[in-house]
Amino acid sequence: AKTGNYTRTSQQLYITQPTLSKSISALEDELKVKLVERTTRSVTLTPAGECFAASCERILEEYQTGVDKALTAAKLLRGTVSFGLPSEQYQPQAIRLIRFINKHYPGIKTQLYFFPGSGLLRAADHGGVDFVIASGRARNEKLNYLPLRHREISAVLPADHPLAKKEKISFSELKNEDMIAMSYRTSNPEFDAIVGLGIQCHFAPHVIFEATTITELLMLVAAGKGVSVLKDDHRAVAGEQVVFIPLKEHFAMDECLIWQDRGTKLQQLVIEAAKALAE
């Protein structure tokens, strides 16, 4: 009925036109209802045929839903899911999620793509990957997000800095310090953190340099060129010349799963798995 032609329909179904005609006639004989009006130019459904076709489509959708649920329950759902990850950061929650999928759903292949900070969000905006895992929430209203883990923000100081022995400080105590920020193009959440904290504390941070990598930033701080603000996760690679001091101010730096809603079973499975693993 969608093609309006027996020949085209039979070709789509990979059967001959006579076989299709006989199948429809047999169905009409069984139901004792005329389903199709056929002329020399076109094929259309009768009102009874339209009702029957709509019911059949719903039955097929329910059947496919049942198949998907059964495969999911049996962990046999198959397909490929792509993840966009930051090239300049290690994301432990992302690794937990990907390893969980690899272990529990062997039919699902995971692909990893790495982007700098701004490129990561563009990949989410343009649908270049199925999911993005990034610091901060989606800014595009068309994107959905799920917080996976709260991340603490710390001041990053040289080990011999006068504030280095404190257990916690206010960002306002860094008002007169030279600041080293992560480049906005490389990692905009860290850059936003310095700007946002300055707004909270009513001063404009004096940013003298923008680093393109975490290693570069840490080395500049260790050399006494300035101070910075980073997620506490980076403490492990800082070395002895740099200290991380927790800040009294709160600035949202959650690690989030971000996606465009496509309504697929694979997408829903990943979202449910992420919810189960969220801290």
Side-chain angles (χ1 to χ4, degrees), residues 73-103:
K75 299 178 182 177
L76 294 176
L77 192 62
R78 298 185 182 279
T80 300
V81 179
S82 57
F83 290 89
L85 301 173
S87 57
E88 79 286 349
Q89 299 175 15
Y90 183 80
Q91 294 276 20
Q93 197 70 3
I95 300 305
R96 285 185 63 197
L97 174 59
I98 292 164
R99 289 183 65 87
F100 179 89
I101 294 170
N102 292 341
K103 178 179 178 180

Side-chain angles (χ1 to χ4, degrees), residues 255-275:
E255 187 176 315
C256 292
L257 182 72
I258 301 171
W259 71 94
Q260 286 190 26
D261 188 9
R262 294 173 182 168
T264 66
K265 294 297 178 183
L266 282 176
Q267 187 180 65
Q268 192 57 40
L269 184 148
V270 173
I271 295 167
E272 293 302 321
K275 287 179 179 177

